[in-house]
Amino acid sequence: SNNNNSGNLKVWSAIDGTLLQSLSCKKATLETVQWTHDEACVFHCVTNEIHIYTANDWKRVGKVRSQGVASFSLPSVRGVDPNAPTSAVAGIMEEDTTTDNNKYLFTAFIPGIKG
């Protein structure tokens, strides 16, 4: 775990009250840290990036760089790629666990630049 007490955004276990992670944030809202629908991954919005961690050990497994990203949203249920063929969508709707379940969709907001 990357857990230390130096961050100003704390993530606690609702089950036993243990501190799971401390993150540093300049501006934080309730949307700054979000879990995927299956709670397997955690997405954390930082300056110009969204970091992706495994939820069980907070190991960073990826990041998406997007200049000026202000916020993001993860679906509360399993997302479907709008470009997926109909047969793949049917498999997802049946919760076919043999498909690639480790891909997640999210929406990011990048405000326009004046000028």
Side-chain angles (χ1 to χ4, degrees), residues 42-53:
V42 180
F43 285 53
H44 175 224
C45 190
V46 298
T47 304
N48 298 320
E49 291 182 344
I50 297 171
H51 293 176
I52 305 160
Y53 302 90

Side-chain angles (χ1 to χ4, degrees), residues 69-85:
V69 64
S71 63
F72 73 101
S73 177
L74 285 165
S76 59
V77 296
R78 184 172 180 187
V80 177
D81 184 337
N83 299 314

Side-chain angles (χ1 to χ4, degrees), residues 10-64:
K10 312 281 187 188
V11 179
W12 304 87
S13 168
I15 295 171
D16 61 12
T18 59
L19 178 64
L20 300 176
Q21 185 63 282
S22 290
L23 303 163
S24 294
C25 298
K26 289 182 183 179
K27 291 190 263 182
T29 67
L30 293 177
E31 291 79 30
T32 302
V33 176
Q34 296 179 44
W35 278 255
T36 54
H37 68 279
D38 58 3
E39 297 187 357
C41 293
V42 180
F43 285 53
H44 175 224
C45 190
V46 298
T47 304
N48 298 320
E49 291 182 344
I50 297 171
H51 293 176
I52 305 160
Y53 302 90
T54 50
N56 61 342
D57 61 4
W58 288 85
K59 177 184 176 195
R60 193 165 88 184
V61 294
K63 68 179 175 179
V64 176

